[in-house]
Amino acid sequence: MNFFERRDGDLWAEDVRLADIAAAVGTPCYVYSAATLERHYRVFIEAFAPQPVFVAFAVKANSNLAVLATLARLGCGADTVSIGEIARALKAGVPASRIVFSGVGKTDAELAEAVRLGLHQINVESPAELDLLGQVASRLGARPSIAIRVNPDVGAGGHAKISTGGREAKFGVGPAEALALYARASAHPNLAPKGLAVHIGSQIKSLAPLEAAFGVMSGLVETLRAQGHAVERLDLGGGLGVPYFNEPEPPPPSDYAAMVKRVTAGLDVALEFEPGRLIAANAGVLLSTVVRLQDRPDRRIVVVDAAMNDLIRPAMYDAFHDIQPLSGPAGAQMTPADVVGPVCETGDTFTRDRPLPPLAPGDRVAFMTAGAYGAVMSSTYNTRPLVPEVLVRGDRFEVVRRRVEVDELMALETIPDWAR
Ligand SMILES: *Cc1c(COP(=O)(O)O)cnc(C)c1O
């Protein structure tokens, strides 16, 4: 559920008309609903109640400081994949003790910084990383808490590019190797193995693959304990999907929680989760303005001012975003249209043959469900500066990332004398 809705023909974010934001801030711009972010976090936590669970929001889904701060205020932690994301989480008010550091390519310097900060947990993805972390921790005289990321050989996700749990994926180690790594970490004086972690993919719309993966994890916890190791935590990753449109709805958090409780019953481990999309996707929209109609005899083509550099999901994952006019009467005649951006790539097509109401230059539309993997994946391709981000709470809104100017982009560059 989210707090974007149509009232008397206009689309609102909480108690702000989106057309008013578009007029004040300009388009393209992202708009996030604080109440929706909060609701999604709470619904997830409450699905497990009375069992306490630790939720670390996957910062890569939406790393805007105001979004992170909104969640941090509720006690939400942060799952991070770079030193940059750790810096953002800290700045937004997430304490180091609630930050998880994941990712296959952590460098020596990044690991050292993570150890110095005393993060909640470093998720180790390979034997080589374990050895490096052991050396870094010894050098610093520290003993970081770690989890071993397991690749359970269960892939899942809405697209091949967002499946991470199959044998061929680059993430984690297989179950047998995880047991060996855990033993190695336990024997290391500067490593504190706390548990196991798994994340098999994103936009998962069925519980079956998750249940299979979590079953593997439960078995591993039991095996490790039988071998005499303490296992306190089980980090079950993110990945639960969201409804992008009229498609089969993913299971609700309550069904997900019931499944997790069933699979982990009797284990007595602290459960941790790293949802990104589930919390942020339906909490954000991308506003855009129709620039021109480029109709052909056989096609209706609507050119908008947003492009693949602002929202790459359709180009990268063939993703579907519902497109809603910001204003207009209900029941308008729908006819098929292509919606495209101005970037010089055929891939800069948001949709083809989508039934849409009449649209004219200057009309505004919202790309729905754009709060996750939207602004964070944007680039400045075609020298299109990053667009503003706006946070709404109740009847207030504020620009939480300002528009970048072309001059600011060029200021990063120099022309050597010898190139003139
Ligand atoms: C991307 C990612 C997540 C978040 O995935 P969502 O599908 O957005 O919930 C969680 N954990 C790890 C390790 C990830 O890479």
Side-chain angles (χ1 to χ4, degrees):
M1 212 215 87
N2 61 70
F3 294 90
F4 293 93
E5 63 169 6
R6 196 167 288 281
R7 293 184 210 155
D8 297 332
D10 288 333
L11 200 56
W12 293 66
E14 304 187 27
D15 294 319
V16 181
R17 211 187 310 259
L18 285 171
D20 292 344
I21 297 179
V25 177
T27 61
C29 75
Y30 278 93
V31 179
Y32 309 124
S33 153
T36 307
L37 291 165
E38 290 170 350
R39 184 188 150 83
H40 290 164
Y41 173 74
R42 290 204 174 104
V43 164
F44 193 88
I45 293 273
E46 282 159 16
F48 288 90
Q51 186 175 352
V53 295
F54 172 57
V55 173
F57 174 63
V59 173
K60 76 175 196 278
N62 188 320
S63 61
N64 184 282
L65 291 174
V67 167
L68 299 182
T70 300
L71 293 168
R73 273 193 346 158
L74 305 184
C76 186
D79 176 55
T80 60
V81 292
S82 70
I83 279 297
E85 285 190 354
I86 292 172
R88 284 180 175 277
L90 290 169
K91 184 156 186 172
V94 183
S97 62
R98 297 184 79 76
I99 296 177
V100 177
F101 190 18
S102 308
V104 294
K106 306 180 199 81
T107 63
D108 189 320
E110 284 184 310
L111 287 171
E113 181 65 8
V115 170
R116 264 193 294 270
L117 287 166
L119 300 187
H120 171 70
Q121 182 173 301
I122 300 175
N123 288 354
V124 173
E125 304 242 6
S126 65
E129 186 189 346
L130 187 82
D131 291 342
L132 176 59
L133 180 58
Q135 288 162 21
V136 168
S138 306
R139 199 169 75 215
L140 295 172
R143 191 160 174 268
S145 296
I146 68 165
I148 305 293
R149 166 115 178 235
V150 180
N151 181 327
D153 196 16
V154 181
H159 188 278
K161 287 183 185 160
I162 52 176
S163 174
T164 56
R167 200 193 302 268
E168 64 296 338
K170 67 181 177 181
F171 301 97
V173 295
E177 191 159 23
L179 297 174
L181 270 195
Y182 206 90
R184 206 150 109 201
S186 297
H188 196 291
N190 293 91
L191 295 173
K194 298 284 182 182
L196 300 173
V198 68
H199 171 75
I200 60 170
S202 197
Q203 186 57 4
I204 298 172
K205 293 192 283 186
S206 138
L207 292 181
L210 292 164
E211 181 158 1
F214 298 170
V216 171
M217 302 301 287
S218 294
L220 289 174
V221 171
E222 282 168 345
T223 305
L224 283 170
R225 286 179 173 165
Q227 294 172 351
H229 298 293
V231 185
E232 298 163 35
R233 304 175 185 167
L234 198 46
D235 175 345
L236 297 178
L240 193 58
V242 301
Y244 277 85
F245 195 48
N246 283 330
E247 46 185 359
E249 291 248 339
S254 51
D255 289 6
Y256 172 83
M259 178 275 284
V260 169
K261 286 185 175 194
R262 192 168 64 242
V263 179
T264 59
L267 272 189
D268 190 28
V269 280
L271 294 179
E272 310 185 337
F273 300 91
E274 307 162 348
R277 191 188 307 271
L278 182 76
I279 289 181
N282 279 306
V285 299
L286 171 64
L287 305 187
S288 184
T289 303
V290 175
V291 176
R292 177 166 305 115
L293 304 180
Q294 191 162 316
D295 290 351
R296 307 245 177 88
D298 59 333
R299 281 204 108 66
R300 183 180 163 213
I301 302 179
V302 180
V303 186
V304 297
D305 65 355
M308 64 188 287
N309 71 297
D310 305 309
L311 177 63
I312 204 173
R313 298 189 66 259
M316 185 146 153
Y317 308 121
D318 300 311
F320 182 103
H321 285 271
D322 188 18
I323 302 172
Q324 294 271 339
L326 294 199
S327 310
Q333 174 75 31
M334 306 287 254
T335 53
D338 296 357
V339 178
V340 305
V343 161
C344 300
E345 297 271 350
T346 303
D348 189 21
T349 299
F350 289 111
T351 188
R352 286 171 69 83
D353 291 325
R354 176 85 58 88
L356 287 171
L359 289 167
D363 285 355
R364 291 190 159 125
V365 296
F367 291 86
M368 309 303 289
T369 319
Y373 308 105
V376 281
M377 293 183 97
S378 53
S379 75
T380 58
Y381 188 38
N382 279 209
T383 305
R384 293 170 48 88
L386 299 182
V387 303
E389 296 174 89
V390 172
L391 185 67
V392 171
R393 175 183 292 285
D395 59 3
R396 281 182 298 171
F397 72 89
E398 189 153 328
V399 175
V400 293
R401 180 178 76 189
R402 68 171 174 80
R403 190 177 295 283
V404 175
E405 301 297 335
V406 171
D407 280 346
E408 293 175 86
L409 292 184
M410 292 192 293
L412 299 171
E413 301 167 27
T414 50
I415 307 176
D417 282 344
W418 44 262
R420 286 183 188 275

